[in-house]
Amino acid sequence: MLIEFTISNFGSFNTSQSLEMAATKLKRLAGNTVATGLSRNPIRVASSALIYGFNASGKSQMVKAAQFMRDLVLNSNRKPVERKLAVAPFLLDPESSRRPATLEMAIVVNGRFYRYGFKVDQNLVWEEWLSIHSGRRGLADGFRRVYEPDSNSYQVEVKGLKGIRLAIQHVPEDWLALTHLCQGHFHKNSEAQWEDVQAVYNWFKDTLRVMPVLQAVPHDKALELSKDTDRMLWILKFLQVVDPGIDTLQLEKSERLSPDVQLDLIDLVGRVTTSHEKKSALVNAIKASDTEALASLGLDFQGRELKIVRTMPKSGDSVSFSSQMESEGTNRVFAMASCVKDVIDRGYVLMIDEMEIGLHYRLSRFLLDMFNDPERNRKCAQLIATTHKSNLLDQNFMRSDQLWVMEKNDQHESRLYPLCDMQVKLGKQQTWPQFFLQGNFGKVPMNRVRRVPE
C-alpha cells in the first residue's frame, strides 16, 4: 500500500510537496481506513484520496510524476543511449532549473515499511536510496548511491544487504540501481538476501497502476481482463450503475483488427522474426486485417468486438449494439471497470487523473464507496484521483484527511495540502463545495502537520 508520495522540482512542483495517505486521529468514518500491519506510525492509511484544484494547479503533474517514477524503475536500463531522461524540472526559478528532480515513495509491502526515491535530471541519476525499516525503531537497512562530479563516480553506502555494494558500483549513470538489481543483473544466489529490494521493484511493477486522463481502452485489450463469467458480470453491474438499460455484454468476432491491435501485432512481428520477406508479408496482412493470411504465416489471431445488448421496450426483443454506437462515456466506464476490478481483487494502488471524465456523479460515488467499504475492498486496495467534482467534497462519506487541495502560489509553484489541516469554520449556510468553487482555499491559514515519520 502507498503511505506517502513526495515530489520536488518536477514540472510545476518546486519545493517539496507530499501526498500522505496515513490516517490522522479522526474518529469519523473509521471504515475508510485500513491497517498497515506496522507496529508504529503509520498504523492506518486511507483507502482513497481525492485531490481538488482548478485547471493548471498541478494535479496532472502529480499523476505524471508517479507515471514517470514507475516507468523509470521498470525501464531505466532500456533507454537508448542517445535519448535523455524524460524529466522536466521547475523552470520558473533559475536555480531550480539547474537542479535534479526528486521523487520518493513510502510504501508497505507484506507488513514492512520501505522508502525508495531518487534525484535525476535528463542526463543522469544524481542520487538514489532505499531504506528498509525493521521492527526496531530507528534502525534501517538499505543502500544509497550519490554521484560525485569531481571523480565522475558514485559513492555507495550499504547496510544489511550483503554483496550488493559491488553490483551497485557498476550501474551506469543514467540507470537506477533498483532496475539493475532486479532484472537479473546479479547472481541468483543473492536473490534470497535481496528479497526486500525485489519486493520494492515488484510493487512498482505489479501493484502501482497509473491512469493519466482516462481514455477509452480498446475493447479487445480490455476484454483480456474479462474472459471469465464472474468478471464479465461484475463489469456489467458496474456499467448498469449509470445505464440500467444495458441487459448484458457479448463478444463477437470482428472482421477487422482495431488500429491498436494492428500496432501491437506489427511490434510483435518485429521482435519474433528476422526474415525480411516474412516480416513484410505479416505486416501487409495485419494492415489488411487478413486473418486467413496471418494464420497461414503462423500468426493465428482474430479480432473481437464488444456488443452491448438492450431490450426493445415494446416487443421485448433483444438488440445488440456495437460499442462504436455507444456514448464516449459508456466506453470509458467499460475501460475503467476492467481496471478497477483487477485493482480491487488484487489490492493494488490506482492513481487516476481527472476521474470525472465520462463519469456521472453516481458512478464516481459508487467507485469511492467501493474502495472505502472494507467488505468490498478486502485486499486493501487504494484509489487516488484528481477531480473537479465539487459534490464529492463531502465529509459525510469522505474524511477530511482524504480530501486534498492543489493550488499555485504567487511564484506559480504547486502546493498540496489536506482539508484536515485547514484552520477555518464554514458559515451556517456554506458547504465545502461552495467554499471550493468560490476560490477560498488559497486564503485559508494552514497548520501543515506531517503524518509520516522520516
Side-chain angles (χ1 to χ4, degrees):
M1 59 185 64
L2 177 65
I3 306 298
E4 181 184 51
F5 180 33
T6 302
I7 311 169
S8 175
N9 197 30
F10 183 100
S12 60
F13 293 89
N14 187 11
T15 58
S16 179
Q17 301 294 307
S18 296
L19 172 70
E20 298 177 63
M21 299 298 290
T24 62
K25 295 181 180 180
L26 290 172
K27 295 182 179 179
R28 293 184 64 256
L29 300 173
N32 289 18
T33 67
V34 296
T36 62
L38 302 176
S39 59
R40 61 186 180 92
N41 283 334
I43 301 297
R44 300 188 70 83
V45 296
S47 300
S48 63
L50 292 179
I51 302 166
Y52 284 86
F54 292 107
N55 290 336
S57 61
K59 302 187 305 299
S60 295
Q61 288 293 324
M62 189 195 72
V63 178
K64 288 178 181 178
Q67 183 69 64
F68 171 80
M69 188 173 186
R70 180 179 186 272
D71 287 346
L72 197 63
V73 167
L74 302 185
N75 301 305
S76 66
N77 60 343
R78 298 172 184 167
K79 179 185 70 67
V81 175
E82 69 279 2
R83 185 178 298 173
K84 294 181 180 295
L85 297 174
V87 57
F90 184 76
L91 298 175
L92 298 179
D93 182 329
E95 293 185 5
S96 296
S97 63
R98 295 189 292 268
R99 293 200 310 265
T102 303
L103 299 173
E104 182 188 72
M105 286 196 182
I107 62 177
V108 170
V109 183
N110 298 326
R112 302 197 72 176
F113 182 79
Y114 303 86
R115 278 190 179 276
Y116 174 74
F118 49 74
K119 296 182 179 181
V120 297
D121 61 17
Q122 293 185 344
N123 298 306
L124 59 87
V125 178
W126 285 87
E127 190 172 346
E128 181 183 7
W129 58 92
L130 170 64
S131 59
I132 306 162
H133 296 262
S134 64
R136 296 171 295 173
R137 183 180 296 273
L139 298 177
D141 294 335
F143 69 82
R144 181 179 295 269
R145 61 192 286 244
V146 181
Y147 180 73
E148 296 182 337
D150 294 339
S151 61
N152 191 28
S153 62
Y154 284 91
Q155 178 181 352
V156 178
E157 298 177 4
V158 177
K159 183 177 180 181
L161 297 173
K162 186 177 180 181
I164 207 171
R165 181 187 300 273
L166 184 61
I168 292 178
Q169 286 176 335
H170 295 287
V171 177
E173 62 186 21
D174 57 350
W175 288 17
L176 294 176
L178 186 66
T179 315
H180 179 75
L181 294 169
C182 296
Q183 291 191 0
H185 299 281
F186 54 87
H187 197 274
K188 292 294 182 181
N189 292 338
S190 301
E191 287 186 12
Q193 298 175 11
W194 302 349
E195 61 182 358
D196 283 313
V197 179
Q198 188 73 48
V200 173
Y201 175 85
N202 289 341
W203 187 89
F204 280 96
K205 179 172 69 73
D206 299 325
T207 302
L208 181 61
R209 292 286 182 263
V210 183
M211 296 180 70
V213 175
L214 181 62
Q215 302 295 335
V217 175
H219 292 125
D220 35 23
K221 285 187 177 180
L223 288 168
E224 289 299 319
L225 299 175
S226 315
K227 291 179 179 178
D228 61 273
T229 304
D230 290 342
R231 187 175 288 268
M232 285 290 282
L233 287 174
W234 191 94
I235 292 174
L236 176 61
K237 291 179 181 178
F238 195 93
L239 285 168
Q240 289 173 335
V241 171
V242 289
D243 193 345
I246 297 176
D247 291 334
T248 189
L249 303 174
Q250 290 180 347
L251 287 177
E252 295 182 6
K253 287 185 178 181
S254 173
E255 294 298 323
R256 296 199 58 81
L257 305 177
S258 72
D260 296 273
V261 171
Q262 289 183 8
L263 290 175
D264 283 351
L265 289 176
I266 290 173
D267 178 65
L268 176 64
V269 166
R271 288 186 279 112
V272 300
T273 180
T274 57
S275 169
H276 177 74
E277 182 178 349
K278 185 174 182 179
K279 185 184 299 183
S280 178
L282 282 168
V283 169
N284 289 335
I286 291 168
K287 290 180 178 179
S289 292
D290 190 342
T291 54
E292 291 185 5
L294 288 173
S296 67
L297 292 167
L299 194 60
D300 190 6
F301 188 89
Q302 290 288 337
R304 295 181 300 163
E305 184 180 4
L306 172 71
K307 294 286 187 177
I308 293 177
V309 180
R310 301 176 185 272
T311 301
M312 291 184 182
K314 292 184 177 179
S315 66
D317 295 332
S318 296
V319 181
S320 61
F321 292 81
S322 168
S323 59
Q324 296 177 355
M325 299 174 65
E326 295 291 338
S327 70
E328 186 176 358
T330 298
N331 280 283
R332 282 176 170 162
V333 169
F334 176 80
M336 175 178 278
S338 300
C339 178
V340 169
K341 174 62 173 171
D342 214 38
V343 169
I344 288 288
D345 283 351
R346 300 175 184 273
Y348 288 164
V349 177
L350 176 61
M351 297 184 71
I352 305 177
D353 192 17
E354 297 191 23
M355 179 181 70
E356 70 274 6
I357 294 181
L359 300 188
H360 186 271
Y361 164 77
R362 186 167 57 181
L363 185 57
S364 299
R365 173 67 188 271
F366 173 78
L367 193 62
L368 285 170
D369 289 345
M370 186 187 310
F371 279 86
N372 289 336
D373 183 356
E375 291 301 315
R376 287 183 285 178
N377 185 12
R378 295 178 180 273
K379 294 292 183 67
C380 302
Q382 290 174 290
L383 171 69
I384 298 103
T386 71
T387 183
H388 293 280
K389 278 190 181 294
S390 59
N391 50 6
L392 294 175
L393 196 63
D394 189 335
Q395 294 188 60
N396 289 318
F397 62 88
M398 291 289 285
R399 294 160 53 100
S400 60
D401 54 6
Q402 293 178 276
L403 299 169
W404 292 73
V405 177
M406 185 88 74
E407 65 176 15
K408 284 187 177 176
N409 61 12
D410 294 339
Q411 305 300 315
H412 306 288
E413 302 170 344
S414 292
R415 298 293 178 91
L416 180 65
Y417 48 85
L419 236 60
C420 61
D421 284 358
M422 297 179 64
Q423 299 175 333
V424 63
K425 290 185 178 180
L426 297 179
K428 291 183 179 180
Q429 304 301 321
Q430 195 175 33
T431 64
W432 281 113
Q434 291 172 341
F435 194 79
F436 168 65
L437 292 174
Q438 292 166 0
N440 291 319
F441 280 128
K443 306 171 186 177
V444 176
M446 299 297 301
N447 180 30
R448 191 72 170 89
V449 179
R450 281 192 59 85
R451 308 183 201 173
V452 186
E454 292 286 356

